[in-house]
Amino acid sequence: MNYTKGEWKVKVSKVTIGEFYSVESTYGKQVMKVTEISPTKEAKANAHLIASAPRMARLLEYLVDNGWNAGVGEEAKEILDIIKQKGLTDD
């Protein structure tokens, strides 16, 4: 796969109208910006979901190559827990 390598993290910048979200690699390279005139919870959730993409891609690639096992289940559960903590699911 061809994407910016490394773990991705959400960077929060305070601005006059609230917060501005971006996603950066561990090497400090900006992957993308979530921009809105008035930042919302949805913008923050979108940034966190995008930041999870490399980890989810590695997990899916592993599943395709090796199938399901207990280690994969733990990794998937950890990713899902992070997503739920950040308010990225509807439940």
Side-chain angles (χ1 to χ4, degrees):
M1 280 187 264
N2 198 11
Y3 62 90
T4 304
K5 299 300 180 198
E7 293 298 315
W8 294 358
K9 303 289 182 196
V10 174
K11 180 179 177 184
V12 180
S13 302
K14 302 287 184 185
V15 293
T16 307
I17 60 171
E19 296 177 335
F20 171 80
Y21 306 101
S22 61
V23 176
E24 294 184 353
S25 73
T26 50
Y27 307 109
K29 181 177 180 181
Q30 188 175 68
V31 176
M32 57 82 52
K33 296 179 198 177
V34 177
T35 58
E36 290 187 12
I37 299 292
S38 179
T40 62
K41 287 183 181 181
E42 188 176 284
K44 183 177 182 180
N46 289 342
H48 283 282
L49 186 59
I50 291 165
S52 300
R55 191 171 179 190
M56 289 188 287
R58 284 192 306 274
L59 181 61
L60 288 172
E61 188 173 48
Y62 180 88
L63 283 171
V64 168
D65 293 342
N66 303 294
W68 189 267
N69 65 43
V72 170
E74 287 301 312
E75 175 102 7
K77 183 181 180 315
E78 188 177 309
I79 292 170
L80 186 57
D81 287 346
I82 290 168
I83 289 170
K84 285 181 178 178
Q85 287 173 1
K86 301 296 181 181
L88 306 180
T89 61
D90 292 331
D91 54 325

